[in-house]
Amino acid sequence: MFTGIVEELGEIVTREDLADAARFTVRGPLVTSDAAHGESIAVNGVCLTVVDVVDGDSFTADVMQETLNRSSLGRLAAGSRVNLERAAALGSRLGGHLVQGHVDGTGTVISRAPSENWTVVRISLPDTVSRYVVEKGSITVDGVSLTVSGLGGEPGGEWFEISLIPTTLSLTTLGTAEPGSVVNLEVDVIAKYVERLQNAGR
């Protein structure tokens, strides 16, 4: 479980493509400082398992083909910047919202509208997840816990907006995500459970 509060802006060091998976080496001195085999680290919002710690500042993780297909991790290459967060610890502050690290779909950055104190980013909203997104609700974009500041569009072409403060712009990949960039989306898990319960027995 994660909170969507990015701890570190890391970098893909190497990518090794295997028959039905890929092995990434990810540099992130902070998140690697207390990492061990089997622990979880979110990479752009995707929960990955640490396989090995390398040189004290990097870790390796295996990503199965399904994850490569269903998330933006399939587009990563050596040199790509990534958002990193260690799993939440019991008793720590929940600064964002409950994030599982299970991507529900991907969206594409449509536009950026900078202003003096923040930047509004518009992102396409897939039909498969649009029903879970509400204005002023929570959504995770590339592992960053954010508030939906606007919704619009028509079925098949819906979008949502997020308003990014300078801290988010400087400390996460969203600061450089230009129109056309593909981002990972995870909706609030509570919404999915409520829908499941409502449909039970129908």
Side-chain angles (χ1 to χ4, degrees), residues 15-93:
R15 170 178 174 159
E16 178 186 358
D17 288 308
L18 309 172
D20 57 356
R23 174 165 290 185
F24 290 97
T25 301
V26 185
R27 181 179 293 115
L30 175 62
V31 301
T32 307
S33 63
D34 58 355
H37 173 78
E39 294 187 346
S40 297
I41 295 177
V43 177
N44 278 359
V46 181
C47 178
L48 298 181
T49 301
V50 174
V51 175
D52 289 307
V53 174
V54 183
D55 298 330
D57 70 349
S58 303
F59 66 93
T60 62
D62 292 330
V63 184
M64 68 180 74
Q65 190 64 51
E66 180 182 1
T67 304
L68 294 171
N69 293 341
R70 294 175 62 111
S71 74
S72 67
L73 296 193
R75 295 173 171 81
L76 295 179
S80 297
R81 305 304 300 272
V82 288
N83 298 321
L84 302 174
E85 181 192 355
R86 290 170 288 189
L90 290 175
S92 62
R93 289 185 175 87

Side-chain angles (χ1 to χ4, degrees), residues 112 117-121 144 146 162-166 168-169 174-175:
R112 299 176 67 92
N117 296 306
W118 63 82
T119 295
V120 176
V121 178
V144 184
L146 297 162
I162 47 177
S163 299
L164 305 180
I165 61 174
T168 306
L169 292 169
L174 298 182

Side-chain angles (χ1 to χ4, degrees), residues 104-106 124-133 139 185-187:
D104 294 303
T106 58
S124 65
L125 189 57
D127 293 339
T128 53
V129 299
S130 62
R131 64 184 178 275
Y132 303 115
V133 180
I139 192 167
L185 305 177
E186 181 184 338
V187 299

